[in-house]
Amino acid sequence: MIDTGHPPEQMRFQLSLRRRGISDARVLRAMEEVPRDRFVDPTDRGYAWRDSALPISCGQTISQPFVVAYMTEQLQLEPSHRVLELGTGSGYQAAVLAKLVRGVLSVERYRTLAETARARLEGLGLYNVEVMLGDGLDLGSNLGVFDRIIVTAAVETLPQSLIDRLDDGGILIAPVGPHHGVQTLIRMRKSGGTIERRELVAVRFVPALPGIAREL
Ligand code: SAH
């Protein structure tokens, strides 16, 4: 047998992403390089390479790998890009993004999650990600604009404050729909003052809630 250096479950993981239609070689490589087992609760390590969402602290979830790969592919990233993520959670999606672009700013409303994710990302040597404790639904113009925005918590409507953070020519992707139900992944492209909106697939994300969480 040829030894690829990857345990069988990681090989199955890659294969399932390809089979489900992820074809961008850079995205597949980033998914291969980020050790998902470092982003799940220690008790869930055995499930890390399965294609399913898993619970993390603060009642939140780490997204399903296929959805992470799909959203990343739909962002059409270039190495020069600066990306904004709303909803750091475990930091897994931020790590995948960090492999592909110049800089990532990821915003999280739970202090515990932000601190854990920050430590994990640093531990992996991903110094081009900044994790910020804050409310991603209420970002100030002092942050400037981003080439790409990815929202990884469900919004009932897209807040204008977020659309305003998207540069001209930029792409924003977000799950839009009811908080406790099925949302539609929306891809929005800004170009020359016009906004083009496309509905992609049905997804399920935990809700985006306003303000910094009062609990840890
Ligand atoms: N991208 C994450 C999964 C996100 S789960 C990963 O790869 O693991 C959604 C996250 O969004 C949760 O951690 C939740 O606390 C956070 N969130 C919800 N509303 C938010 C808001 N207004 N601002 C910042 N983060 C928010």
Side-chain angles (χ1 to χ4, degrees):
M1 202 168 114
I2 301 164
D3 183 9
T4 57
H6 289 303
E9 69 264 28
Q10 268 169 275
M11 289 172 58
R12 271 202 298 275
F13 176 83
Q14 282 290 317
L15 226 83
S16 84
L17 294 178
R18 281 172 201 266
R19 207 175 298 129
R20 293 192 63 181
I22 306 300
S23 60
D24 185 322
R26 293 188 66 229
V27 173
L28 285 165
R29 196 173 326 122
M31 295 294 295
E32 189 173 1
E33 283 172 3
V34 177
R36 190 167 186 260
D37 49 352
R38 298 267 288 264
F39 292 84
V40 302
D41 283 352
T43 49
D44 282 334
R45 289 253 158 91
Y47 306 112
W49 299 101
R50 291 196 188 168
D51 192 22
S52 57
L54 290 168
I56 55 172
S57 320
C58 309
Q60 306 304 313
T61 51
I62 174 171
S63 311
Q64 182 193 347
F66 170 70
V67 174
V68 171
Y70 181 77
M71 288 174 87
T72 307
E73 187 167 67
Q74 291 295 325
L75 282 174
Q76 299 172 15
L77 299 170
E78 287 168 25
S80 63
H81 284 162
R82 263 186 86 221
V83 182
L84 171 69
E85 179 187 29
L86 185 157
T88 313
S90 68
Y92 179 65
Q93 171 76 71
V96 172
L97 295 170
K99 293 277 181 192
L100 296 163
V101 300
R102 177 164 64 98
V104 180
L105 173 65
S106 184
V107 186
E108 172 55 54
R109 64 188 291 276
Y110 278 97
R111 186 180 299 278
T112 309
L113 291 176
E115 284 173 358
T116 311
R118 200 178 283 137
R120 278 184 188 132
L121 293 161
E122 272 178 31
L124 291 170
L126 296 168
Y127 304 116
N128 58 338
V129 193
E130 188 189 334
V131 178
M132 184 177 110
L133 177 68
D135 178 1
L137 298 172
D138 186 26
L139 297 172
S141 55
N142 59 315
L143 291 176
V145 288
F146 296 82
D147 303 295
R148 299 291 186 260
I149 298 179
I150 178 168
V151 180
T152 64
V155 287
E156 283 168 323
T157 53
L158 270 175
Q160 189 60 41
S161 65
L162 209 54
I163 299 172
D164 288 343
R165 302 275 60 76
L166 189 64
D167 202 356
D168 191 41
I171 296 176
L172 177 155
I173 191 160
V176 182
H179 269 174
H180 299 285
V182 179
Q183 302 99 29
T184 306
L185 205 56
I186 301 285
R187 188 174 68 188
M188 175 183 275
R189 192 190 295 264
K190 234 189 207 181
S191 48
T194 64
I195 283 176
E196 173 204 307
R197 228 178 120 112
R198 208 176 133 189
E199 295 190 356
L200 301 173
V201 294
V203 285
R204 245 174 220 276
F205 276 87
V206 294
L209 301 171
I212 291 176
R214 265 179 292 148
E215 319 89 283
L216 285 177

